[in-house]
C-alpha cells in the first residue's frame, strides 16, 4: 500500500511539475529560508564565471574535469566551490570504509577522462560474479561476467581514491580555466527569473564575497541548497534505515571477486570484495538496530554479522514447497534452477575503528533545471544503496550534460539555451526515475516477511534467474 502511494505521489508530482516551473527571482539562504544578510552594495564581487559548480563531491569534481577536457567546452571559465577543506588523501595500505560499486558506464566515462588509470595505479577490485539471495526462502539470483560478454560485473573503488584520481587528472590538464575554492561557505543564491534574457546567478558567500555566473550547477548532494533555491518540488522520504559500513577481514584468503548480498527481513547485508582477504560491508538495517550494531564490541559485531550471513531464518512451508516445485520444473526445462549456490566467506574480524553508519533516504527532484540552473547527482536524485546505483546515476548525468552542452555551444547557442537543458532533464529523468522506482520496489518487497510477498518475490527471483534475456535486461539497466 505504502509503495503504491509513494509511486503514485512520485508520478503525480512529476506530471504536475512538468507544467509548472518556478519563475520568480529567488534569494535563498543555504537552509532554504529567505534571508538577506549582505546588501548588494556590501557584497565583494570576486568574479564572473561561465559556469559555477556548487559542490565538489565525486560528481561535482568529475563534472569539472569533464568540462575542462572537452575541446568544445575548454574555453569556459569554471569555478568549483566545495564546502569542506582540501583534504590531502592519505592512501594508506588499509582500505577506507567508504566504497562504491561502479558500473561499466562509469568506467567508460572515467576512461574517457583518463581518470581510470589513476584509480588502477592505486587499487580497485573487479567483481566478476554476484550472488543475491533471500534469507526467508531458497530463492537466489546470480550475475556473472559471462552475462556481460565476459566483462566485469562492477568495480569496487574507495570513494577517497576516486576523488583523489579525479582531482589529480583535473590538476594535470593543460586547461587552467577551472578554479577550485575549498572551504567555500555558501550563504545563498540569487537565481534569475524566466523573463531574464541573459540569465545570471549570484552566489553569495558567508564572508561577503560573491560570484556571478551564466550557468549554475548544483552538485551539492542530497540536501542541495541550489535545489532549494530553485523552489522546485522535491519528493523525499527517509527509510528509517542506516547503512552500516566497515572493512572486514575474511577468515581465509581466496580469489575474492564475488559480491555477496543476502536479503534479511531487516534489509540487505552486502560484502563487496576489496582484496584476497578484505571485503567492504554495507549492511542496511533499521536505525535502532544500526545503532546497536555500532555499539557492540568488535568481536560480538563479527559474530552478529556472520549470523546475518549464515543463520537459517524461519521459512514458510508453503513458500518452500512452491520454490522446490518451480526449481524442479526449471530443471526439467533445462534452465538454471538456482540450486548451484556458492557459500559466502566468513568474517574473522573487522579493521579496528572502521565501523560507521549513514542514514538512507529516497529523493526525487521533479525538475532538474530552472533558467540558468541545472542539478546533477544526489542533488537531483537519491536512492537506497541496495542496488549500488547512486553515484553511477550521477556520473550518467555528468556524461549527458557535458555532451549536450558541447553540442549546444558547437551549434552557436548560448550556454543557458533552454533546449539543451530540457533535453538533459527529460533524458536523465527517463533513465533515473525507472532506476529509482526499481530500487524502491525491491526495498519494499524485501523488508517484509509476510508469506504472500515472500512467495511472490521468491518465485519472481527464481524465474528472473532462469530467464537469461530478463537477467540481461536488468544488467543493462544497472550498467547504463
Ligand atoms: C552506505 C552507502 C553506500 C553507497 N554505495 C554506493 C554504491 O555502491 N554505488 C553507487 O553508485 N552509489 C553508492 N552510494 C551513493 C553515493 O555515495 C552517492 O550517490 C554519492 O556520494 C553522491 O555524490 P554527489 O557528488 O552527488 O554528492 P555528495 O557526495 O553528497 O557531494 C556533495 C558535495 O557538495 C558539498 N556541499 C554541499 N553543500 C555545499 C555548500 N552549501 N557549499 C559548498 N559545498 C557544498 C559537500 O561538501 C560534498 O562534497 C552509497 C551511499 C551510501 C550512504
Amino acid at each position: 500500500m505504502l509503495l503504491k502511494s509513494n509511486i503514485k505521489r512520485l508520478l503525480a508530482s512529476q506530471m504536475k511539475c512538468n507544467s509548472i516551473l518556478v519563475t520568480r527571482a529567488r534569494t535563498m539562504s543555504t537552509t532554504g529560508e529567505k534571508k538577506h544578510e549582505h546588501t548588494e552594495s556590501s557584497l565583494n564581487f570576486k568574479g564572473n564565471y561561465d559556469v559555477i559548480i556548487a559542490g565538489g563531491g565525486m560528481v561535482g569534481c568529475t563534472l569539472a574535469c569533464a568540462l575542462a577536457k572537452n575541446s568544445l567546452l575548454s574555453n569556459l571559465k569554471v569555478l568549483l566551490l566545495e564546502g569542506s577543506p582540501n583534504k590531502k588523501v592519505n592512501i594508506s595500505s588499509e582500505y577506507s570504509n567508504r566504497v562504491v560499486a561502479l558500473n561499466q558506464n562509469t568506467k567508460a566515462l572515467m576512461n574517457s577522462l583518463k581518470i581510470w588509470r589513476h584509480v588502477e595505479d592505486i587499487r580497485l577490485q573487479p567483481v566478476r560474479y554476484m550472488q543475491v539471495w533471500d534469507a526467508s526462502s531458497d530463492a537466489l539470483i546470480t550475475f556473472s561476467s559471462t552475462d556481460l560478454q565476459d566483462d566485469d560485473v562492477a568495480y569496487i573503488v574507495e570513494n577517497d581514491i576516486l576523488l583523489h584520481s579525479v582531482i589529480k587528472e583535473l590538476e594535470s590538464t593543460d586547461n587552467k580555466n577551472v578554479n577550485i575554492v575549498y572551504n567555500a561557505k555558501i550563504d545563498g543564491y540569487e537565481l534569475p527569473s524566466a523573463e531574464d534574457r541573459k540569465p545570471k546567478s549570484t552566489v553569495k558567500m558567508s564572508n561577503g564575497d560573491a560570484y556571478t555566473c551564466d550557468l549554475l550547477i548544483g552538485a551539492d548532494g542530497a540536501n542541495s541548497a541550489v535545489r532549494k533555491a530553485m523552489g522546485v518540488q522535491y519528493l523525499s522520504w527517509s527509510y528509517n534505515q542506516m547503512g552500516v559500513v566497515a572493512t572486514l577481514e575474511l577468515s581465509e584468503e581466496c580469489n575474492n571477486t564475488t559480491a555477496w548480498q543476502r536479503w534479511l527481513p531487516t534489509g540487505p547485508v552486502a560484502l563487496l570484495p576489496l582484496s584476497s582477504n578484505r571485503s567492504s560491508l554495507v549492511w542496511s538495517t533499521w536505525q535502532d538496530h544500526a545503532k546497536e550494531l555500532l555499539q557492540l564490541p568488535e568481536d560480538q559485531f563479527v559474530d552478529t554479522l556472520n549470523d546475518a550471513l549464515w543463520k537459517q531464518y524461519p521459512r514458510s512451508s508453503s513458500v518452500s514447497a512452491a520454490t522446490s516445485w518451480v526449481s524442479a520444473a526449471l530443471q526439467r526445462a533445462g534452465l538454471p534452477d538456482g540450486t548451484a549456490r556458492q557459500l559466502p566467506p566468513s568474517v574473522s574480524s573487522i579493521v579496528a575503528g572502521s565501523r560507521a553508519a549513514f542514514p538512507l533516504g529516497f529523493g526525487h527532484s521533479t525538475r532538474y533545471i530552472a533558467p540558468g540552473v541545472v542539478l546533477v547527482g544526489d542533488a537531483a536524485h537519491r536512492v537506497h544503496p541496495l542496488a549500488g546505483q547512486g553515484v553511477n546515476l550521477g556520473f550518467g548525468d555528468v556524461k549527458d550534460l557535458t555532451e549536450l552542452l558541447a553540442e549546444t555551444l558547437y551549434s552557436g547557442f548560448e550556454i543557458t539555451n533552454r533546449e539543451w537543458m530540457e533535453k538533459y532533464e527529460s533524458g536523465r529523468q527517463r533513465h533515473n526515475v525507472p532506476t529509482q522506482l526499481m530500487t524502491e520496489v525491491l526495498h519494499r518487497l524485501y523488508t517484509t516477511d509476510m508469506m504472500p510477498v515472500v512467495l511472490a518475490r521468491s518465485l519472481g527471483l527464481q524465474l528472473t534467474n532462469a530467464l537469461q534475456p530478463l537477467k540481461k535486461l536488468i544488467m543493462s539497466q544497472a550498467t547504463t
Side-chain angles (χ1 to χ4, degrees):
M1 286 297 265
L2 195 55
L3 165 68
K4 224 167 137 188
S5 71
N6 277 338
I7 293 176
K8 264 194 189 153
R9 273 165 62 205
L10 199 151
L11 295 175
S13 62
Q14 185 62 54
M15 284 193 300
K16 190 167 151 211
C17 284
N18 278 341
S19 60
I20 304 170
L21 181 60
V22 178
T23 54
R24 289 170 292 120
R26 290 138 295 197
T27 306
M28 308 286 281
S29 75
T30 49
T31 55
E33 296 150 12
K34 288 200 171 195
K35 116 178 157 180
H36 292 267
E37 289 228 316
H38 301 278
T39 61
E40 289 293 305
S41 57
S42 72
L43 287 174
N44 177 20
F45 278 99
K46 300 290 278 184
N48 179 55
Y49 287 83
D50 296 307
V51 180
I52 292 184
I53 303 171
M58 290 185 280
V59 173
C61 284
T62 305
L63 178 60
C65 192
L67 295 179
K69 291 196 142 230
N70 187 307
S71 56
L72 294 168
L73 303 174
S74 53
N75 284 336
L76 295 177
K77 238 180 108 194
V78 179
L79 176 66
L80 176 66
L81 296 171
E82 168 54 34
S84 53
N86 181 7
K87 294 174 279 198
K88 281 284 164 236
V89 181
N90 174 21
I91 312 288
S92 67
S93 56
E94 196 42 85
Y95 289 83
S96 153
N97 60 2
R98 289 306 310 271
V99 306
V100 275
L102 302 177
N103 63 25
Q104 285 294 344
N105 255 25
T106 294
K107 178 187 173 187
L109 173 73
M110 296 297 167
N111 253 331
S112 72
L113 298 174
K114 301 198 166 20
I115 294 169
W116 198 249
R117 57 188 177 150
H118 302 307
V119 178
E120 281 177 326
D121 281 350
I122 307 172
R123 63 190 169 214
L124 60 80
Q125 184 72 344
V127 176
R128 299 199 58 82
Y129 189 82
M130 189 190 272
Q131 179 172 300
V132 179
W133 72 113
D134 192 336
S136 305
S137 78
D138 280 330
L140 115 168
I141 190 163
T142 59
F143 298 98
S144 94
S145 46
T146 48
D147 298 328
L148 276 173
Q149 274 93 41
D150 210 24
D151 219 336
D152 300 312
V153 175
Y155 302 89
I156 309 301
V157 178
E158 291 150 82
N159 294 16
D160 283 353
I161 289 182
L162 187 60
L163 199 56
H164 165 85
S165 303
V166 177
I167 298 287
K168 184 169 180 185
E169 187 55 31
L170 183 57
E171 286 176 351
S172 68
T173 59
D174 296 335
N175 184 344
K176 299 296 169 224
N177 275 348
V178 179
N179 287 350
I180 308 181
V181 176
Y182 291 98
N183 266 324
K185 303 278 173 272
I186 300 173
D187 192 43
Y189 300 94
E190 196 166 296
L191 306 186
S193 71
E195 292 81 45
D196 290 337
R197 286 181 61 81
K198 278 212 158 234
K200 237 183 220 312
S201 296
T202 305
V203 182
K204 298 175 180 181
M205 314 302 291
S206 54
N207 62 1
D209 287 351
Y211 302 93
T212 53
C213 62
D214 296 337
L215 182 65
L216 174 66
I217 303 181
D220 48 350
N223 279 324
S224 171
V226 174
R227 186 187 65 235
K228 288 173 191 165
M230 287 162 75
V232 292
Q233 205 177 346
Y234 183 60
L235 190 67
S236 66
W237 52 83
S238 159
Y239 287 115
N240 297 321
Q241 286 208 324
M242 297 185 99
V244 176
V245 299
T247 307
L248 309 174
E249 188 163 345
L250 306 181
S251 304
E252 280 173 31
E253 295 222 351
C254 58
N255 174 26
N256 192 13
T257 52
T258 300
W260 308 91
Q261 179 153 291
R262 188 181 199 203
W263 288 94
L264 309 176
T266 47
V269 55
L271 263 52
L272 307 174
L274 293 173
S275 70
S276 60
N277 65 346
R278 290 276 193 281
S279 284
S280 184
L281 171 72
V282 184
W283 186 349
S284 305
T285 186
W286 304 113
Q287 276 164 354
D288 289 347
H289 185 219
K291 285 176 192 158
E292 274 170 33
L293 290 174
L294 291 182
Q295 297 301 325
L296 287 176
E298 287 184 349
D299 55 339
Q300 278 182 39
F301 176 79
V302 169
D303 290 346
T304 314
L305 172 59
N306 280 323
D307 258 4
L309 291 168
W310 291 87
K311 190 176 111 179
Q312 271 285 358
Y313 279 76
R315 302 263 171 107
S316 145
S317 53
S318 319
V319 174
S320 297
T323 52
S324 319
W325 187 85
V326 170
S327 226
L330 291 171
Q331 237 173 31
R332 279 197 300 278
L335 291 168
D337 62 350
T339 47
R341 68 181 55 217
Q342 295 189 19
L343 297 179
S346 73
V347 177
S348 61
S349 61
I350 62 169
V351 170
S354 66
R355 256 179 309 173
F358 299 89
L360 306 179
F362 174 97
H364 162 69
S365 181
T366 50
R367 302 293 320 235
Y368 290 4
I369 60 166
V373 191
V374 183
L375 297 175
V376 290
D378 273 24
H381 41 74
R382 182 182 184 201
V383 287
H384 195 292
L386 65 89
Q389 285 301 304
V391 83
N392 289 299
L393 297 181
F395 291 135
D397 298 345
V398 168
K399 180 172 178 283
D400 286 10
L401 189 154
T402 315
E403 284 173 5
L404 286 166
L405 192 54
E407 256 173 48
T408 299
L409 295 195
Y410 182 71
S411 313
F413 293 106
E414 299 274 338
I415 191 172
T416 52
N417 177 279
R418 191 78 197 161
E419 214 169 291
W420 83 261
M421 293 174 97
E422 276 173 358
K423 263 194 205 157
Y424 164 77
E425 179 183 71
S426 56
R428 287 319 295 161
Q429 290 197 342
R430 258 201 307 276
H431 180 76
N432 296 343
V433 173
T435 306
Q436 289 186 278
L437 284 177
M438 189 189 75
T439 310
E440 183 61 22
V441 169
L442 285 174
H443 169 72
R444 301 284 169 184
L445 273 179
Y446 278 92
T447 39
T448 177
D449 49 9
M450 278 165 58
M451 196 280 277
V453 181
V454 176
L455 178 64
R457 75 186 187 211
S458 300
L459 300 182
L461 202 64
Q462 277 184 307
L463 293 174
T464 311
N465 188 52
L467 302 173
Q468 198 63 8
L470 192 55
K471 219 155 100 168
K472 283 205 161 140
L473 194 74
I474 295 173
M475 293 281 274
S476 76
Q477 175 71 15
T479 55
T480 55

